[in-house]
Amino acid sequence: MSTIGTFTIRPLDPEKDAELLHRWVTHPKAAFWMMQDARLEDVEREYMRIAAHEHHHAYLGLHDGEPAFLMEKYDPRYVELVGLYEPEPGDVGMHFLVAPTDRPVHGFTRAVITAVMEELFADPATRRVVVEPDVGNKAVHALNEAVGFEPEREIDKPEKRALLSFCTREQFEAARGASI
């Protein structure tokens, strides 16, 4: 995806990045993030909570050095999916949000999810990535499928009905190879 540019990922700074995140998560395109009515303080508090959590981490994704997406990584044994499925060793949960833009670039969101998956699988301990997007978020289901995710079943979370999906390292590599 070099035609799109270079992606880097750094740990999120909840205080420094709160205003930027607030703009992103309250934007109409971020409806599935479920923070539409959040105040700046709410966003800062939520990301301070994540920063303090042993099993949940937030990162800011940069495109050619400019903030472009949010990535969250979590251990599904302790966060988000506790009691909703049987975790396997090497499972890593993931959320991502692409920043809203007035100048969309064709293929950008797919390049972002690919960069996120590469980052997660860069850790040799990661065997499988787990996601639980809202069942109504058809756009993200298509993106997930494009990078190798396979839906398993719908689950009920406290805040939404979600589509539990998994992607192994091998599925990701096969999907990435198929798109070249």
Side-chain angles (χ1 to χ4, degrees):
M1 298 276 176
S2 60
T3 57
I4 289 192
T6 303
F7 292 102
T8 52
I9 295 172
R10 69 159 170 84
L12 184 80
D13 181 331
E15 292 174 13
K16 187 178 132 213
D17 298 325
E19 282 189 43
L20 176 72
L21 285 182
H22 181 260
R23 284 196 307 274
W24 293 0
V25 301
T26 58
H27 190 277
K29 289 185 177 180
F32 288 111
W33 210 254
M34 294 180 286
M35 294 185 83
Q36 296 287 273
D37 298 322
R39 297 170 314 183
L40 177 60
E41 302 80 40
D42 300 328
V43 173
E44 187 175 340
R45 188 176 312 113
E46 174 64 10
Y47 284 93
M48 292 291 277
R49 185 189 65 74
I50 290 171
H53 201 290
E54 183 181 355
H55 302 290
H56 195 171
H57 309 283
Y59 303 89
L60 192 67
L62 309 172
H63 172 248
D64 294 337
E66 294 299 317
F69 63 96
L70 172 64
M71 171 184 140
E72 292 181 15
K73 169 179 147 179
Y74 64 88
D75 185 332
R77 295 174 302 168
Y78 305 101
V79 179
E80 293 285 347
L81 293 168
V82 177
L84 296 174
Y85 90 106
E86 194 58 47
E88 295 181 6
D91 278 2
V92 174
M94 177 271 287
H95 299 137
F96 81 103
L97 176 68
V98 176
T101 181
D102 295 331
R103 299 183 319 275
V105 174
H106 180 72
F108 187 78
T109 304
R110 182 164 175 174
V112 166
I113 193 173
T114 300
V116 166
M117 296 294 284
E118 287 170 349
E119 177 74 13
L120 295 171
F121 282 124
D123 180 347
T126 301
R127 295 185 53 223
R128 186 170 73 159
V129 178
V130 183
V131 293
E132 27 66 43
D134 190 290
V135 294
N137 193 344
K138 303 298 184 204
V140 89
H141 299 317
L143 281 165
N144 287 344
E145 187 178 314
V147 295
F149 279 95
E150 291 187 6
E152 182 173 288
R153 69 181 189 279
E154 291 185 7
I155 58 172
D156 288 312
K157 295 186 64 194
E159 74 281 8
K160 66 185 177 187
R161 181 121 178 112
L163 183 62
L164 182 67
S165 303
F166 300 97
C167 181
T168 64
R169 183 181 303 274
E170 295 75 24
Q171 288 167 314
F172 174 62
E173 291 298 332
R176 193 163 60 171
S179 70
I180 295 175

